[in-house]
Amino acid sequence: MAQQDSSPPETENRFESTPINRRDFMRLSAVTAGALTLPGQTVSDVSSTKLTDLYQFAVNHTPDDYGVGTLIRLNDTDAFDALGDLDLQEYRRTDNPEPAAYAQLDTAAVEDVVDIDAVVRLEFSPGANPFWRIGDYDSQVFPPAIESVDDLDFEETITGLQTLSERHADRLDLSSIGQSPGWFNHALGDLEPSDVWVAEVTNDIDDEDAFADKEKVIYACSIHGDERAGAESGTRFIERLLEGEEPETEALLDDVVLIFLYPNPDGWNARLPQYAHEDQDPSDRLSAKRGNARVQDTNRQYPTAGWIDPAYFPAEPNGTNLVDDDPGIDDDVSEAYRENVPDALAIVEYFRNYENLAYVADLHEMGYRENYALGLHVNTEYDLQQTHDIYELNRELKPRLHEQLGDLLEEREDVFRRHAEEEFDDPEDVPLPTEIPFDYGTITDTLGYQTTGILVSWMGHPEEYGGLGMQTLAYEIAGIAPRWPELMDLTVRTYSEVIRSLAAHALRDVEATVQTGGRSTAYVTTDTLTRSSDDLVFAESKASHTGETMTVGPEPTTMTVAIEENTRSVTFQIVERTDTEVVATLRDPDGTVRATYDSQEDEPDAARICVTEPTSGEWTVEVVNPQEEPPKEGEVAVVIDTVTSEPIEDGIASLDPRDILGYEQREYEVTPFSFLEAYSEFLDEGSLDAVSVADVQNGALLDDGQPAYDNLVVIHNEGATDAAYTDALDAFVDAGGNILLTDSGVHVLAHLDNEHVSDIAEGDIHDETVFSVAMNAYEDSHPLRENARPIQRELYTPAPVGYPVSTEGDAPATVVDVDVFQSADGDSAGRLMTIPDRDTVSDLVVAGSIHDNGTGVHIVGGLLPPAFQEQLHPFGMLNHSVSFLGYLMVTNALGHNQRRVVDGEEVTFGETILTEEQAQAYYPDAMEDGDE
């Protein structure tokens, strides 16, 4: 098939020609976060002229025993005694600026309170400060977490920040940058979008020239609405900073701008009863939500380079042609994006206008783990300097958090335990995050999953690919729902330290170099690994969006899905509509289980099941409530996104982003050799030379019988079956040269016959595709892992180089059978982590050495794969996505040493403060070879 015309498609409607129209799909999408068209379910019938309309709605649309946050306005302080006699929950009182009380009132208490003559009016008042609605801010605008009556409310937060901006107009600027899709407000009878806010803090904030020159540090506060840690911590830090209680950070404000983004007002507001919907369980509808009012996950909707899940709405404000035509959101942005992700569109557009953006930290919240907090190195392309910069921040942060939190975590262990007893069916099996406060690594290292389309990945991408070119991090902290003041206090303390540390780090000078020890290195180049948008031949593509609501009960409920031929990918999203546990099982037409999701145990990402190149036929989804007591029925929505394309005869059959997402293809040309070219820039002496296969055949590796280079790097198998080439490699090794084989270059092993390698055949080497190229059994004492920490196991991240984050995995790795590798005197540095059973030790070596005192042959089977172009990647592709562990393995294999200098002082970056006992307890998969 000839390549299609690159002009924009005739329609911008992503849903034209799909089996479900856009209006129905919007309604189906709303299932993922709450229906918008049905009135809230009336529970009570309380009425009084003393109740405001909104308050009366809130009381009558929450369970009878639910404590509604209530501001009680009084005309006489004598009423305090009468209120005190009622034994009200969270009862507080004030006479500034007027007499008022606060309590969390259930239905019976409301009726008692309105009978008090001095009570004038009852108002709905959610939030942490009981008297924010009357502006009682004399002590603090935002009370300490441990003294708060509830989580911060969205309206409360913005009102409080506006108050602070009036008091500190020279240092705080608060701006609305766009709007959310908005929930339907049942009390008002109308759709109600909310503003997306940004708070900027610096000295002389109105000095435009000075502002532009300063380093900018961004904190994303609760992009997932039900992860309150970011907003709770960032908001309180702003007040502390402005009120002189953060002198360390205040001293930086001549040179640094701190930017606090509140990206998800819908997810925050979802807990309010006026936005609840009829088909939710009452206990579930009063909680914050992960996504906004249209999409289930607001942190998957950004225009990242590499693979994009067609089930998402990647928000590119430059529109169909990816060109910025005008200020603001361009006219050619499809209506589907404007309706579903206006918040993300506004954020992308706004932050592209800053200068000197340096660092961003996305502040999240997770379930219970052994670590109380985790630092995540997110998916993007970083050179050695950038990688060291990010890891240095976390290296500095780790002892500070351990010092601050160690004793407190132990003191509050009983609180964690009591919380676990209330939250979990088997609290004894729940890890208590009290012994190791903080560790850091990639997303797979720390949380065990992969992502695409996340906010900070987009911010970290190069500007030529639409990103911001920032140093990006994400943080996770142990979750605390329902709210416990002692644990929220720990959260605020932890993230306050993260905020301080990142602000200070923005002014530090981190330099990375590679000490070669005089060792020279060459690498075998080839043009065959280069990938370009010019290679693409777009197949005629089609996206369909369907869904079905299923009953979840003790007996299994099953739905079938017909997958047609030429289907390139299908994504099933399991969306829990009611407060019921669910186990979902996906089976292919042969009845084979392809994936499962357990709401009690799995990460939220596991509820999204993507299968690439699925077998055609009838697929089934089965759901069941696994709880034995009490048997409870509920509902889930199964939302299905399918992409099909016609086959083509020649060329790379890539999916057409115009047909599926409504975007043009961004131009790109990438090669994994850029990793080595960039690496060479950090060498303290010598160079990293490119040689061709022909050069090797013609003797480029030897000089008068001696190695012309100390090291050779081979990342491909071109020439592997050519005797002249492999004989030259053998001669190089026999003369004392050292070879590093990565990726498909590992196949060269089968064709070598030097003193180190002679017994490995082609049948012993395998090309695997996995969810993540990582190790689940490794030996930390192996020379290839020198300076690595126990938590580090992933070598590269798949999505930025085009490999789908599918359920069974598409990321390539070339591996060797462990028995054969060891019988050839190979020393395994790590076994390949396989999916779905990540805990089973595989018999496949992904990294290891066959050497004598470091010289010989080393393999790293997954590090620098060529970009994968056959799935959606509308926003271009990155050259590589190597992790810090990947950098270390290259350095160690070449006999180099990485050196980090911070503000003129060299630091040791590989140390760990874990004892051997702690490492065994918390990283049990760091096993020696042969352990099972």
Side-chain angles (χ1 to χ4, degrees), residues 694-771:
D695 291 335
V696 173
Q697 292 169 329
N698 293 329
L701 300 183
L702 293 179
D703 183 4
D704 196 21
Q706 298 298 311
Y709 299 93
D710 295 290
N711 298 309
L712 180 69
V713 181
V714 181
I715 69 172
H716 57 84
N717 63 356
E718 183 177 334
T721 59
D722 187 289
Y725 175 67
T726 55
D727 286 349
L729 297 182
D730 282 327
F732 173 73
V733 174
D734 287 338
N738 183 56
I739 293 183
L740 169 61
L741 304 174
T742 78
D743 304 279
S744 64
V746 174
H747 282 285
V748 173
L749 268 179
H751 304 279
L752 297 181
D753 191 23
N754 57 69
E755 64 175 329
H756 295 288
V757 179
S758 60
D759 297 325
I760 299 176
E762 187 64 52
D764 304 319
I765 301 173
H766 312 282
D767 292 316
E768 299 288 322
T769 55
V770 289
F771 181 78

Side-chain angles (χ1 to χ4, degrees), residues 516 518-522 686-689 707-712 896:
T516 66
R519 295 174 65 82
S520 57
T521 304
S687 62
L688 194 60
D689 297 336
Y709 299 93
D710 295 290
N711 298 309
L712 180 69
H896 295 167

Side-chain angles (χ1 to χ4, degrees), residues 172-332:
L172 173 62
D173 185 69
L174 187 67
S175 302
S176 168
I177 67 169
Q179 287 193 315
S180 69
W183 298 103
F184 191 87
N185 186 323
H186 298 294
L188 297 177
D190 200 3
L191 189 68
E192 191 169 42
S194 296
D195 287 349
V196 176
W197 292 90
V198 167
E200 300 167 334
V201 185
T202 192
N203 287 343
D204 302 317
I205 201 163
D206 293 327
D207 185 333
E208 293 183 7
D209 292 338
F211 185 97
D213 288 341
K214 294 180 182 182
E215 296 290 301
K216 313 298 189 306
V217 180
I218 301 170
Y219 305 97
C221 299
S222 301
I223 192 169
H224 290 143
D226 57 354
E227 298 176 17
R228 303 306 320 138
E232 295 281 338
S233 306
T235 303
R236 289 182 170 89
F237 190 88
I238 292 171
E239 180 174 13
R240 287 177 52 81
L241 179 60
L242 294 172
E243 297 297 339
E245 297 176 33
E246 293 287 344
E248 176 187 335
T249 305
E250 188 175 8
L252 308 174
L253 295 183
D254 284 340
D255 303 296
V256 175
V257 181
L258 305 187
I259 302 169
F260 296 83
L261 166 66
Y262 296 90
N264 187 5
D266 280 359
W268 195 342
N269 280 329
R271 66 193 295 260
L272 302 178
Q274 63 265 38
Y275 302 122
H277 52 86
E278 186 176 68
D279 55 0
Q280 277 184 293
D281 186 282
S283 62
D284 180 54
R285 69 184 189 210
L286 299 171
S287 60
K289 303 297 178 193
R290 184 176 177 86
N292 68 19
R294 292 288 189 181
V295 298
Q296 187 180 7
D297 195 330
T298 40
N299 199 29
R300 300 295 183 270
Q301 317 298 334
Y302 287 84
T304 52
W307 178 71
I308 289 290
D309 191 329
Y312 298 149
F313 290 85
E316 174 49 77
N318 292 346
T320 299
N321 61 6
L322 307 184
V323 176
D324 191 7
D325 301 320
D326 300 294
I329 311 301
D330 285 3
D331 291 340
D332 59 344

Side-chain angles (χ1 to χ4, degrees), residues 600-877:
Q600 297 178 99
E601 298 181 0
D602 293 333
E603 293 286 343
D605 270 50
R608 177 199 143 276
I609 301 168
C610 177
V611 180
T612 55
E613 307 298 337
T615 306
S616 61
E618 294 290 327
W619 289 62
T620 61
V621 179
E622 178 187 275
V623 297
V624 65
N625 178 3
Q627 292 177 308
E628 295 182 5
E629 293 292 338
K632 183 178 180 182
E633 285 198 348
E635 289 184 344
V636 298
V638 181
V639 182
I640 303 159
D641 286 83
T642 304
V643 172
T644 60
S645 69
E646 295 300 318
I648 64 170
E649 293 182 3
D650 301 306
I652 296 171
S654 184
L655 294 170
D656 193 337
R658 295 167 297 184
D659 293 343
I660 298 168
L661 297 174
Y663 291 118
E664 292 288 330
Q665 176 68 55
R666 177 170 282 138
E667 294 182 357
Y668 62 88
E669 182 172 287
V670 294
T671 171
F673 288 114
S674 70
F675 170 86
L676 295 167
E677 293 165 2
Y679 182 83
S680 69
E681 297 176 7
F682 297 96
L683 303 183
D684 64 343
E685 58 179 318
S687 62
L688 194 60
D689 297 336
V691 296
S692 67
V693 170
D695 291 335
V696 173
Q697 292 169 329
N698 293 329
L701 300 183
L702 293 179
D703 183 4
D704 196 21
Q706 298 298 311
Y709 299 93
D710 295 290
N711 298 309
L712 180 69
V713 181
V714 181
I715 69 172
H716 57 84
N717 63 356
E718 183 177 334
T721 59
D722 187 289
Y725 175 67
T726 55
D727 286 349
L729 297 182
D730 282 327
F732 173 73
V733 174
D734 287 338
N738 183 56
I739 293 183
L740 169 61
L741 304 174
T742 78
D743 304 279
S744 64
V746 174
H747 282 285
V748 173
L749 268 179
H751 304 279
L752 297 181
D753 191 23
N754 57 69
E755 64 175 329
H756 295 288
V757 179
S758 60
D759 297 325
I760 299 176
E762 187 64 52
D764 304 319
I765 301 173
H766 312 282
D767 292 316
E768 299 288 322
T769 55
V770 289
F771 181 78
S772 171
V773 180
M775 308 171 190
N776 72 344
Y778 50 87
E779 189 170 353
D780 265 320
S781 62
H782 194 286
L784 288 183
R785 284 191 61 90
E786 184 176 355
N787 285 325
R789 294 174 298 106
I791 199 172
Q792 292 177 287
R793 65 189 74 184
E794 186 175 33
L795 295 166
Y796 76 91
T797 55
V801 285
Y803 295 95
V805 182
S806 61
T807 301
E808 294 168 330
D810 288 275
T814 304
V815 293
V816 183
D817 288 334
V818 65
D819 291 341
V820 174
F821 192 75
Q822 291 176 336
S823 68
D825 294 327
D827 184 10
S828 172
R831 312 271 192 92
L832 183 67
M833 184 174 76
T834 54
I835 298 296
D837 188 358
R838 303 177 193 180
D839 296 327
T840 298
V841 178
S842 76
D843 58 0
L844 303 172
V845 176
V846 69
S849 304
I850 305 173
H851 64 100
D852 182 15
N853 293 324
T855 299
V857 179
H858 310 274
I859 68 167
V860 180
L863 186 76
L864 294 167
F868 183 73
Q869 298 177 283
E870 297 180 21
Q871 294 281 350
L872 284 171
H873 55 281
F875 307 113
M877 199 80 79

